[in-house]
PDB file of all heavy atoms in Angstrom:
ATOM      1  N   GLY A  53       7.967  -7.548 -10.016  1.00  0.00           N
ATOM      2  CA  GLY A  53       9.360  -7.185 -10.175  1.00  0.00           C
ATOM      3  C   GLY A  53       9.824  -6.010  -9.336  1.00  0.00           C
ATOM      4  O   GLY A  53       9.095  -5.475  -8.502  1.00  0.00           O
ATOM      5  N   ALA A  54      11.056  -5.616  -9.590  1.00  0.00           N
ATOM      6  CA  ALA A  54      11.702  -4.549  -8.813  1.00  0.00           C
ATOM      7  C   ALA A  54      10.954  -3.224  -8.908  1.00  0.00           C
ATOM      8  O   ALA A  54      10.952  -2.441  -7.961  1.00  0.00           O
ATOM      9  CB  ALA A  54      13.146  -4.383  -9.264  1.00  0.00           C
ATOM     10  N   SER A  55      10.312  -2.964 -10.047  1.00  0.00           N
ATOM     11  CA  SER A  55       9.583  -1.700 -10.209  1.00  0.00           C
ATOM     12  C   SER A  55       8.353  -1.638  -9.297  1.00  0.00           C
ATOM     13  O   SER A  55       7.806  -0.564  -9.067  1.00  0.00           O
ATOM     14  CB  SER A  55       9.176  -1.493 -11.668  1.00  0.00           C
ATOM     15  OG  SER A  55       8.392  -2.574 -12.110  1.00  0.00           O
ATOM     16  N   ALA A  56       7.914  -2.770  -8.768  1.00  0.00           N
ATOM     17  CA  ALA A  56       6.766  -2.812  -7.860  1.00  0.00           C
ATOM     18  C   ALA A  56       7.173  -2.611  -6.412  1.00  0.00           C
ATOM     19  O   ALA A  56       6.321  -2.474  -5.535  1.00  0.00           O
ATOM     20  CB  ALA A  56       6.039  -4.146  -8.010  1.00  0.00           C
ATOM     21  N   GLU A  57       8.467  -2.590  -6.132  1.00  0.00           N
ATOM     22  CA  GLU A  57       8.940  -2.485  -4.752  1.00  0.00           C
ATOM     23  C   GLU A  57       9.241  -1.041  -4.394  1.00  0.00           C
ATOM     24  O   GLU A  57       9.690  -0.263  -5.229  1.00  0.00           O
ATOM     25  CB  GLU A  57      10.155  -3.380  -4.570  1.00  0.00           C
ATOM     26  CG  GLU A  57       9.788  -4.842  -4.815  1.00  0.00           C
ATOM     27  CD  GLU A  57      10.883  -5.819  -4.491  1.00  0.00           C
ATOM     28  OE1 GLU A  57      12.028  -5.401  -4.196  1.00  0.00           O
ATOM     29  OE2 GLU A  57      10.592  -7.028  -4.524  1.00  0.00           O
ATOM     30  N   MET A  58       8.970  -0.695  -3.140  1.00  0.00           N
ATOM     31  CA  MET A  58       9.232   0.665  -2.673  1.00  0.00           C
ATOM     32  C   MET A  58       9.252   0.682  -1.151  1.00  0.00           C
ATOM     33  O   MET A  58       8.807  -0.264  -0.507  1.00  0.00           O
ATOM     34  CB  MET A  58       8.177   1.633  -3.223  1.00  0.00           C
ATOM     35  CG  MET A  58       6.754   1.312  -2.812  1.00  0.00           C
ATOM     36  SD  MET A  58       5.445   2.257  -3.678  1.00  0.00           S
ATOM     37  CE  MET A  58       5.803   3.929  -3.284  1.00  0.00           C
ATOM     38  N   VAL A  59       9.769   1.773  -0.602  1.00  0.00           N
ATOM     39  CA  VAL A  59       9.777   1.990   0.848  1.00  0.00           C
ATOM     40  C   VAL A  59       9.088   3.328   1.098  1.00  0.00           C
ATOM     41  O   VAL A  59       9.379   4.319   0.435  1.00  0.00           O
ATOM     42  CB  VAL A  59      11.219   2.022   1.407  1.00  0.00           C
ATOM     43  CG1 VAL A  59      11.209   2.345   2.891  1.00  0.00           C
ATOM     44  CG2 VAL A  59      11.915   0.695   1.145  1.00  0.00           C
ATOM     45  N   ILE A  60       8.170   3.326   2.050  1.00  0.00           N
ATOM     46  CA  ILE A  60       7.430   4.539   2.416  1.00  0.00           C
ATOM     47  C   ILE A  60       7.683   4.777   3.895  1.00  0.00           C
ATOM     48  O   ILE A  60       7.471   3.882   4.723  1.00  0.00           O
ATOM     49  CB  ILE A  60       5.923   4.359   2.147  1.00  0.00           C
ATOM     50  CG1 ILE A  60       5.693   3.928   0.700  1.00  0.00           C
ATOM     51  CG2 ILE A  60       5.159   5.640   2.461  1.00  0.00           C
ATOM     52  CD1 ILE A  60       4.334   3.347   0.435  1.00  0.00           C
ATOM     53  N   SER A  61       8.138   5.986   4.243  1.00  0.00           N
ATOM     54  CA  SER A  61       8.486   6.248   5.642  1.00  0.00           C
ATOM     55  C   SER A  61       8.243   7.707   6.001  1.00  0.00           C
ATOM     56  O   SER A  61       8.008   8.548   5.136  1.00  0.00           O
ATOM     57  CB  SER A  61       9.948   5.885   5.892  1.00  0.00           C
ATOM     58  OG  SER A  61      10.793   6.665   5.093  1.00  0.00           O
ATOM     59  N   GLY A  62       8.326   7.981   7.296  1.00  0.00           N
ATOM     60  CA  GLY A  62       8.231   9.346   7.804  1.00  0.00           C
ATOM     61  C   GLY A  62       6.968  10.069   7.386  1.00  0.00           C
ATOM     62  O   GLY A  62       5.878   9.507   7.389  1.00  0.00           O
ATOM     63  N   GLN A  63       7.120  11.337   7.009  1.00  0.00           N
ATOM     64  CA  GLN A  63       5.987  12.172   6.596  1.00  0.00           C
ATOM     65  C   GLN A  63       5.282  11.613   5.368  1.00  0.00           C
ATOM     66  O   GLN A  63       4.100  11.864   5.152  1.00  0.00           O
ATOM     67  CB  GLN A  63       6.443  13.601   6.320  1.00  0.00           C
ATOM     68  CG  GLN A  63       6.594  14.451   7.546  1.00  0.00           C
ATOM     69  CD  GLN A  63       5.293  14.572   8.319  1.00  0.00           C
ATOM     70  OE1 GLN A  63       5.171  14.043   9.431  1.00  0.00           O
ATOM     71  NE2 GLN A  63       4.317  15.246   7.769  1.00  0.00           N
ATOM     72  N   GLN A  64       5.991  10.859   4.570  1.00  0.00           N
ATOM     73  CA  GLN A  64       5.397  10.276   3.375  1.00  0.00           C
ATOM     74  C   GLN A  64       4.225   9.351   3.756  1.00  0.00           C
ATOM     75  O   GLN A  64       3.259   9.233   3.000  1.00  0.00           O
ATOM     76  CB  GLN A  64       6.464   9.505   2.594  1.00  0.00           C
ATOM     77  CG  GLN A  64       6.062   9.117   1.197  1.00  0.00           C
ATOM     78  CD  GLN A  64       7.184   8.398   0.467  1.00  0.00           C
ATOM     79  OE1 GLN A  64       8.129   7.877   1.076  1.00  0.00           O
ATOM     80  NE2 GLN A  64       7.071   8.357  -0.838  1.00  0.00           N
ATOM     81  N   LEU A  65       4.287   8.726   4.925  1.00  0.00           N
ATOM     82  CA  LEU A  65       3.206   7.860   5.389  1.00  0.00           C
ATOM     83  C   LEU A  65       1.906   8.643   5.591  1.00  0.00           C
ATOM     84  O   LEU A  65       0.825   8.151   5.280  1.00  0.00           O
ATOM     85  CB  LEU A  65       3.592   7.152   6.693  1.00  0.00           C
ATOM     86  CG  LEU A  65       4.616   6.037   6.568  1.00  0.00           C
ATOM     87  CD1 LEU A  65       5.170   5.668   7.947  1.00  0.00           C
ATOM     88  CD2 LEU A  65       4.011   4.825   5.883  1.00  0.00           C
ATOM     89  N   THR A  66       2.012   9.861   6.093  1.00  0.00           N
ATOM     90  CA  THR A  66       0.830  10.691   6.315  1.00  0.00           C
ATOM     91  C   THR A  66       0.149  11.020   4.995  1.00  0.00           C
ATOM     92  O   THR A  66      -1.065  10.870   4.856  1.00  0.00           O
ATOM     93  CB  THR A  66       1.208  11.985   7.062  1.00  0.00           C
ATOM     94  OG1 THR A  66       1.826  11.629   8.301  1.00  0.00           O
ATOM     95  CG2 THR A  66      -0.006  12.854   7.321  1.00  0.00           C
ATOM     96  N   GLY A  67       0.920  11.460   4.019  1.00  0.00           N
ATOM     97  CA  GLY A  67       0.363  11.779   2.711  1.00  0.00           C
ATOM     98  C   GLY A  67      -0.201  10.548   2.020  1.00  0.00           C
ATOM     99  O   GLY A  67      -1.251  10.613   1.368  1.00  0.00           O
ATOM    100  N   PHE A  68       0.479   9.427   2.169  1.00  0.00           N
ATOM    101  CA  PHE A  68       0.036   8.173   1.570  1.00  0.00           C
ATOM    102  C   PHE A  68      -1.330   7.780   2.127  1.00  0.00           C
ATOM    103  O   PHE A  68      -2.254   7.435   1.392  1.00  0.00           O
ATOM    104  CB  PHE A  68       1.080   7.087   1.838  1.00  0.00           C
ATOM    105  CG  PHE A  68       0.841   5.776   1.151  1.00  0.00           C
ATOM    106  CD1 PHE A  68       0.470   5.703  -0.177  1.00  0.00           C
ATOM    107  CD2 PHE A  68       1.032   4.591   1.846  1.00  0.00           C
ATOM    108  CE1 PHE A  68       0.275   4.472  -0.811  1.00  0.00           C
ATOM    109  CE2 PHE A  68       0.846   3.358   1.225  1.00  0.00           C
ATOM    110  CZ  PHE A  68       0.465   3.304  -0.105  1.00  0.00           C
TER     111      PHE A  68
END
Side-chain angles (χ1 to χ4, degrees):
S55 57
E57 298 187 352
M58 60 190 300
V59 176
I60 306 163
S61 61
Q63 279 301 111
Q64 193 178 19
L65 287 166
T66 302
F68 187 45

